Amino acid sequence: MRRKVIAGNWKMNKLPNEAIEFIQKLEPLVKDTKNEVILCVPYTDLFYAIMTAQGTNIKIGAQNMHYEEKGAFTGEVSGEMLKSIGAEYVIIGHSERRMYFAETDETVNKKLKSALKCKLKPIVCVGESLNEREKGIANEVVTKQTHIALEGLKDSEVSNTIIAYEPIWAIGTGKTATSEDAEKAIKAIRDEIAKMYGQKISSGVIIQYGGSVKVSNAKELFNMPNIDGGLVGGASLDVEEFSKIINY
Ligand code: 13P
């Protein structure tokens, strides 16, 4: 049985004092959950969040990293830097990074390899645009993104990678994929992983759904056979709402 993993992606929200307060409030609300709880916070909150979450079941991650270990890359942060302050997870290839910051399938693949080398646990995002969904090529798009992202990994590295299926048209729009559509896309991603790395590896990979996850739709989505939890944006900014999604 795969575990359920519920991760919050705060995007560019919350100052360190807000992060500390949030985690202190969240901790008693989720301490008994069997589900894995992750918060991916802005770089400037990371250290405070990691310190506050110490000794709790809340794990902390970043939202991006550079693929090089070090060097003349002004403004960038490496995987080793994240690991050195105690970050456990890192989101890679979020659609907002693909859209606004020229992230490509190829840079996603490089970042994934670099994250795994640093022993960070990556959450790799894939997802189709509205146009691609309307053209009927959604599953083709996400399987291609998955294929390029995962190319050249060791089996054990694939097993340590989380995939988040996030249809772009569902992000921050209040529109959610139906649980059936999300299940179909996630099944297509799992089948692609099986083609690349075999059924056994594929059946163990955690694949989340993301895109307007709320208390009202979490249960239906997370109860689908191939959906192993969610990557939650807006609803992870509110501690009550997020705790209810975790305890769906
Ligand atoms: P929303 O939950 O705000 O739609 O965002 C989803 C997302 O982008 C999570 O990474």
Side-chain angles (χ1 to χ4, degrees):
M1 257 305 260
R2 291 184 300 268
R3 66 196 191 280
K4 300 284 183 192
V5 180
I6 322 288
N9 172 11
W10 279 356
K11 309 192 178 182
M12 197 170 74
N13 291 289
K14 294 199 191 289
L15 301 175
N17 61 322
E18 296 170 312
I20 293 168
E21 193 187 335
F22 185 101
I23 293 165
Q24 285 169 342
K25 281 191 181 151
L26 182 65
E27 191 274 327
L29 302 175
V30 300
K31 67 176 181 0
D32 296 323
T33 182
K34 293 195 297 291
N35 305 326
E36 193 166 331
V37 182
I38 306 167
L39 276 176
C40 295
V41 305
Y43 290 134
T44 44
D45 291 348
L46 270 175
F47 182 75
Y48 301 94
I50 289 161
M51 287 298 153
T52 313
Q54 250 178 15
T56 76
N57 60 342
I58 302 166
K59 297 170 177 170
I60 305 298
Q63 301 169 9
N64 181 39
M65 58 173 274
H66 197 275
Y67 51 78
E68 293 290 350
E69 278 171 34
K70 57 171 78 151
F73 301 101
T74 302
E76 291 293 324
V77 170
S78 72
E80 195 185 357
M81 290 169 178
L82 297 176
K83 188 71 187 176
S84 73
I85 61 161
E88 243 184 281
Y89 286 84
V90 61
I91 297 175
I92 291 174
H94 191 280
S95 61
E96 287 151 15
R97 299 227 43 103
R98 294 177 189 252
M99 206 172 350
Y100 306 131
F101 303 99
E103 193 86 79
T104 63
D105 290 335
E106 286 70 28
T107 57
V108 169
N109 177 256
K110 284 186 182 175
K111 289 183 177 190
L112 177 55
K113 287 178 178 157
S114 178
L116 288 162
K117 202 169 146 204
C118 300
K119 307 274 180 252
L120 287 164
K121 296 175 197 161
I123 302 177
V124 177
C125 301
V126 298
E128 81 285 1
S129 66
L130 184 58
N131 188 24
E132 290 161 339
R133 170 146 296 265
E134 283 169 350
K135 277 201 228 151
I137 56 167
N139 291 359
E140 231 172 288
V141 170
V142 295
T143 51
K144 180 164 172 257
Q145 289 173 338
T146 305
H147 187 97
I148 300 174
L150 298 183
E151 232 164 12
L153 299 191
K154 297 189 197 100
D155 288 1
S156 60
E157 293 178 325
V158 179
S159 302
N160 284 327
T161 299
I162 294 176
I163 310 276
Y165 166 62
E166 298 207 312
I168 295 167
W169 50 270
I171 295 176
T173 56
K175 286 187 204 150
T176 321
T178 64
S179 47
E180 288 77 19
D181 281 347
E183 169 69 14
K184 268 189 216 154
I186 287 176
K187 176 73 170 49
I189 291 167
R190 201 176 293 290
D191 289 347
E192 183 61 30
I193 301 173
K195 268 195 227 157
M196 295 176 78
Y197 293 100
Q199 197 65 49
K200 190 160 172 251
I201 298 283
S202 165
S203 64
V205 173
I206 300 292
I207 310 182
Q208 302 171 308
Y209 167 79
S212 298
V213 172
K214 316 182 253 290
V215 180
S216 56
N217 57 26
K219 189 169 181 176
E220 190 184 331
L221 284 160
F222 301 169
N223 276 338
M224 297 305 275
N226 277 290
I227 303 183
D228 307 319
L231 183 55
V232 186
S236 75
L237 295 172
D238 182 280
V239 72
E240 294 289 331
E241 173 95 3
F242 190 49
S243 71
K244 285 182 191 153
I245 293 172
I246 292 161
N247 295 315
Y248 73 96

